[in-house]
């Protein structure tokens, strides 16, 4: 179930300012979503089965085991999630109100937004460590009376079991945005943004509060637009961001940290005849203070880029851009050390990580005429100390351990997009119907510059999309095919991901002359195919939703 509503109203005038009011709200509730088959991928299931067989062999001499396998040595996957992803239901409510004052030479607007969400974390989480020595059980037995009445997460055999993890999220955000045009000497316009957010989410394990995450912060940005000249222009600015993060509970995987980021930048562009030149530089000062673990890190980063382009003709453009960037590691990359339920992983940071540096070049070729357009982009980037998170093969707290680390790496690839207007079909009932065909293809390769050129984890495979769309005054209809190739370029502890193809269709009807009422039908994965995104930590435990059809009505007053 889903509903949205918005209101824009001109209140009146105050002096030379026009006052505009905005109000909107939304409500969305979903049940556990359906999937075409098993939640676990076949490759992941076979890996688990192989590991269990080895465990059974090791324990064979100690105790007689129960045979749960068929004649071929494979279990029948009884008890596994099939058809529906449990604990994937969501409930979200939002409301926002804004007020803007529009002047002849600028405006200032403010908005407050409240977001309340409750949603499950699929793939479950094993409560506690799950395996304890007998003497630990005996010691715990003496404490049973002290814990009488607490929620028990054990099955009939006394083993600790998975409990549903849900998130209770609350956020309040306040934003101010302003713009003023005038004479500032070297500048002709000033743009200002300010935002404050108070965020909290509680992880619930069953009905028990597990960990409480709080994130309070604000950021501001001031851009000054150059007065410029006939052939040149640009902007300079300052950007400041402050974040106060804390987590309280057994599964607080990042310690309480305050972060401060200060950025100074300027960009310039120049064009003459068929030539285009642009350049930019940025300095950023980043400071982290994680006092609870007695850790402080400070980084000063410098980045710059220069690009040149040439109009080969009125319809054809070619450009090349060279960049050198530096990036400070994030709080999570530095200080993580605990179970992260969103990724179903035990994450470890590295507080000794240095800056990530990159030298890259990218090129673009674009061609556009009235009935056809084509854009080709290619890039190659060489990294010093590329920061990434990879599986170690270890296990802690019942979760796979992922470690943040840095190595030299290279990323390269291309992207192509094209759109063609195939023509117009004249009909008596629907008027002229324009037919458009579009498509795109993306490819990324990512390798570590170490012995053997090892692959980086969670890199998307080759993907492509082809769509055809008809547009008219009465209706729009689009159907598309989305394909992702199989990804076999994986790390040592990463499983390959099978290819998938999705068929989507979208229909919008405007049956009335005033066009203020429209009916929309959206269908995704209409063939109900199994699809897993290689970029997801949970791709072997959680596929994309199966066939989904959504109908809605949009009314404009």
């Amino acid at each position: 179930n889903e509903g949205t509503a918005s209101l824009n109203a001109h209140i009146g005038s105050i002096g030379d300012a026009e006052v505009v009011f905005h109000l909107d709200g939304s409500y969305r509730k979903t049940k556990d979503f359906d999937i075409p088959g098993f939640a676990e991928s076949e490759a992941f299931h076979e890996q688990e089965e192989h590991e269990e067989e080895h465990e059974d062999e090791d324990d064979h001499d100690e105790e007689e085991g129960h045979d749960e396998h068929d004649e071929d040595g494979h279990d029948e996957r009884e008890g596994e999630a099939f058809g529906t992803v449990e604990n994937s239901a969501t409930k979200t409510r939002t409301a926002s109100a804004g007020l803007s004052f529009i002047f002849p030479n600028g405006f200032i607007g403010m908005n407050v937004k409240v977001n309340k969400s409750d949603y499950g974390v699929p793939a479950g989480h094993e409560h506690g460590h799950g395996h304890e020595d007998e003497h630990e059980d005996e010691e715990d037995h003496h404490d049973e009376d002290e814990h009488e009445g607490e929620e028990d997460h054990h099955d009939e055999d006394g083993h600790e079991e998975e409990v549903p993890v849900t998130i209770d999220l609350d956020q309040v955000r306040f934003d101010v945005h302003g713009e003023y045009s005038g004479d500032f000497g070297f500048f002709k316009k000033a743009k200002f943004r300010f935002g404050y957010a108070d965020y909290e989410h509680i992880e619930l394990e069953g009905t028990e509060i597990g960990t409480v995450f709080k994130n309070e912060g604000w950021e501001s940005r001031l851009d000054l637009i150059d007065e410029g000249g006939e052939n040149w222009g640009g902007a300079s600015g300052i950007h400041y961001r402050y974040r106060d993060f804390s987590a309280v509970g057994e599964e607080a995987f990042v310690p309480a940290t305050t972060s401060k980021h200060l950025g100074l930048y300027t960009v310039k562009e120049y064009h003459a005849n068929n030539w285009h030149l642009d350049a930019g530089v940025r300095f950023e000062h980043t400071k982290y203070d994680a006092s609870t673990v007695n850790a402080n890190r400070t980084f000063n980063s410098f980045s710059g880029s220069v690009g040149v382009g040439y109009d080969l003709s009125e319809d054809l453009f070619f450009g090349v851009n060279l960049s050198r960037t530096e990036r400070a590691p994030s709080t999570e990359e530095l200080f993580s050390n605990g179970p992260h339920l969103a990724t179903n992983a035990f994450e470890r940071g590295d507080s000794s990580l240095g800056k990530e540096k990159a030298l890259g070049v990218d090129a673009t070729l674009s061609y556009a005429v009235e009935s056809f357009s084509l854009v080709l982009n290619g890039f190659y980037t060489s990294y010093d100390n590329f920061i990434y998170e990879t599986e170690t093969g270890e296990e802690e707290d019942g979760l796979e351990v992922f470690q943040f680390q840095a190595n030299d790496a290279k990323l390269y690839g291309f992207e192509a997009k094209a759109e063609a207007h195939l023509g117009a079909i004249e009909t008596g009932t629907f008027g002229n119907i324009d037919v458009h065909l579009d498509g795109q293809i993306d490819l990324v390769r990512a390798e570590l510059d170490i012995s053997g050129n090892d692959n980086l984890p969670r890199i998307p495979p080759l993907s492509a999309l082809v769509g055809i769309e008809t547009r008219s005054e009465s209706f729009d209809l689009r159907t598309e095919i989305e394909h992702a190739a199989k990804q076999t370029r994986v790390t040592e502890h990463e499983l390959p991901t099978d290819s998938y193809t999705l068929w989507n269709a979208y229909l919008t009807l405007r049956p009335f002359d005033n066009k203020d009422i429209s009916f929309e039908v959206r269908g995704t994965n209409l063939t109900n195919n199994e699809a897993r995104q290689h970029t997801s930590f949970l791709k072997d435990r959680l596929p994309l939703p199966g066939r989904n059809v959504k109908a809605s009505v949009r009314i404009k007053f």
Side-chain angles (χ1 to χ4, degrees):
N1 300 320
E2 181 176 355
T4 62
S6 64
L7 171 68
N8 292 304
H10 178 213
I11 296 178
S13 301
I14 300 179
D16 60 352
E18 300 295 326
V19 184
V20 178
F21 177 73
H22 172 81
L23 182 69
D24 69 62
S26 68
Y27 175 85
R28 186 170 188 263
K29 184 177 181 180
T30 66
K31 298 180 180 179
D32 292 343
F33 67 79
D34 294 335
I35 54 177
F38 287 102
E40 290 186 356
S41 68
E42 184 66 27
F44 183 74
H45 167 71
E46 291 178 357
Q47 182 186 69
E48 281 193 321
E49 186 180 61
H50 181 71
E51 292 173 354
E52 289 174 2
E53 287 177 354
H54 280 283
E55 290 177 0
D56 290 342
E57 291 175 1
D58 293 338
D59 296 339
H60 181 72
D61 295 334
E62 298 180 11
E63 61 180 345
E64 183 178 351
H66 178 68
D67 186 11
E68 297 180 352
H69 296 76
D70 60 19
E71 295 178 356
D72 297 325
H74 298 286
D75 66 32
E76 298 178 358
R77 305 190 69 168
E78 293 183 0
E80 289 189 26
F82 179 90
T84 301
V85 176
E86 296 182 358
N87 200 39
S88 61
T90 66
K91 185 179 180 181
T92 302
R93 292 84 74 201
T94 67
S96 69
L99 194 65
S100 294
F101 300 85
I102 304 173
F103 304 93
N105 55 351
F107 71 90
I108 184 169
M110 57 202 73
N111 185 79
V112 61
K113 182 176 183 179
V114 179
N115 178 18
K116 170 71 174 176
S117 297
D118 303 283
Y119 57 92
V121 179
H125 176 63
E126 192 170 310
H127 185 81
H129 296 276
H131 300 285
E132 299 175 346
D133 294 333
E134 292 182 6
H135 71 275
E136 291 177 337
D137 292 335
E138 293 173 359
E139 292 175 1
D140 291 341
H141 178 72
H142 297 293
D143 297 329
E144 286 181 357
D145 293 337
E146 298 179 12
H147 298 281
E148 185 177 356
E150 291 185 1
E151 186 173 0
D152 185 25
H153 299 292
H154 294 75
D155 59 21
E156 295 178 354
D157 297 325
H159 296 103
E160 295 192 71
E161 60 183 6
E162 290 185 352
V163 295
V165 176
T166 56
I167 304 297
D168 182 0
L169 183 153
D170 290 281
Q171 182 183 37
V172 177
R173 182 175 178 90
F174 176 73
D175 290 280
V176 178
H177 182 200
E179 184 176 306
Y180 180 79
S181 299
D183 186 5
F184 302 101
F186 294 106
F187 307 103
K188 64 180 180 181
K189 183 184 293 186
K191 297 180 178 180
F192 173 74
R193 288 181 180 270
F194 174 84
Y196 167 82
D198 187 2
Y199 171 95
E200 176 183 281
H201 88 245
I202 301 172
E203 291 182 350
L204 298 169
E205 299 183 24
T207 59
E208 296 179 359
I209 295 178
T211 305
V212 179
F213 292 87
K214 295 184 178 181
N215 190 11
E216 184 178 10
W218 60 272
E219 66 176 317
S220 60
R221 177 169 179 161
L222 175 64
D223 291 303
L224 297 175
I225 311 303
D226 292 346
E227 184 68 39
E230 182 179 354
N231 297 326
W232 72 277
S236 301
I238 181 171
H239 179 208
Y240 186 83
R241 184 170 70 251
Y242 174 85
R243 176 193 183 200
D244 186 1
F245 169 84
S246 67
V248 179
E250 294 182 357
E251 296 180 339
F253 72 102
V254 180
T257 309
T258 57
S259 309
K260 301 175 182 179
H261 304 268
L262 173 65
L264 301 172
Y265 50 90
T266 184
V267 293
K268 307 295 180 185
E269 58 182 19
Y270 174 81
H271 61 89
N273 299 323
N274 292 351
W275 290 95
H276 304 265
L277 178 68
D278 59 79
V281 293
R282 179 183 177 91
F283 165 76
E284 185 166 290
H285 175 77
T286 304
K287 184 176 182 179
Y288 299 115
D289 183 5
S291 57
T292 56
V293 293
N294 196 29
N296 297 277
R297 294 295 306 276
T298 301
F299 302 90
N300 292 314
S301 305
F302 296 87
S303 300
S305 65
V306 59
V308 60
Y310 186 77
D311 293 315
L312 298 171
S313 70
E314 190 174 296
D315 308 318
L316 186 63
F317 171 82
F318 178 74
V320 178
N321 186 73
L322 180 67
S323 63
R324 185 205 181 267
T325 61
E326 294 183 342
R327 182 184 74 87
S330 67
T331 303
E332 291 76 12
E333 292 167 341
L334 289 169
F335 305 126
S336 292
N337 187 29
H340 188 187
L341 301 189
T343 59
N344 205 45
F346 192 98
E347 299 188 358
R348 290 177 182 164
D350 183 350
S351 60
S352 67
L353 289 173
K355 291 184 295 186
E356 180 182 273
K357 302 177 182 179
L359 181 63
V361 59
D362 60 85
T364 182
L365 178 69
S366 62
Y367 175 74
V369 292
E370 185 175 349
S371 60
F372 179 77
S373 65
L374 172 67
V375 178
L376 300 175
N377 296 311
F379 72 93
Y380 180 94
T381 306
S382 177
Y383 286 90
D384 290 336
N385 295 322
F386 180 80
I387 301 173
Y388 61 101
E389 187 178 11
T390 188
E391 190 175 353
T392 64
E394 303 174 17
E395 188 173 294
E396 189 164 339
D397 195 23
L399 298 170
E400 298 168 345
V401 175
F402 284 75
Q403 174 72 53
F404 285 103
Q405 58 190 48
N407 279 297
D408 294 347
K410 56 185 178 183
L411 278 73
Y412 55 95
F414 73 90
E415 174 189 59
K417 295 183 179 181
E419 182 175 350
H421 180 205
L422 301 183
I425 302 173
E426 295 184 4
T427 67
T429 304
F430 302 106
N432 290 338
I433 300 176
D434 287 313
V435 182
H436 297 260
L437 178 68
D438 62 84
Q440 65 182 60
I441 185 170
D442 302 89
L443 175 66
V444 177
R445 291 285 183 260
E447 301 169 349
L448 295 171
D449 282 339
I450 58 179
S451 177
N453 279 337
D454 290 343
N455 298 304
L456 280 163
R458 295 178 303 283
I459 300 300
L462 173 73
S463 63
L465 183 144
V466 176
I468 187 168
E469 185 171 350
T470 59
R471 306 169 189 169
S472 71
E473 291 187 0
S474 301
F475 74 91
D476 298 329
L477 174 63
R478 174 178 175 82
T479 184
E480 64 185 26
I481 300 294
E482 180 184 353
H483 177 76
K486 183 175 183 179
Q487 180 58 285
T488 58
R489 298 172 181 265
V490 296
T491 62
E492 178 183 0
H493 302 288
E494 188 180 23
L495 292 172
T497 303
D498 290 337
S499 63
Y500 65 83
T501 301
L502 304 180
W503 174 34
N504 309 315
Y506 313 91
L507 172 64
T508 300
L509 294 175
R510 294 178 289 272
F512 305 108
D513 292 337
N514 58 16
K515 311 304 179 188
D516 290 337
I517 300 179
S518 62
F519 301 90
E520 298 180 2
V521 180
R522 301 168 59 90
T524 56
N525 193 8
L526 293 173
T527 51
N528 204 37
N529 287 339
E530 181 177 304
R532 300 177 186 272
Q533 292 181 320
H534 189 75
T535 53
S536 170
F537 280 84
L538 302 176
K539 58 102 174 176
D540 286 303
R541 299 173 181 264
L542 189 66
L544 294 177
R547 182 187 297 111
N548 184 47
V549 178
K550 174 184 173 182
S552 61
V553 179
R554 188 180 300 273
I555 303 175
K556 181 180 179 181
F557 296 100

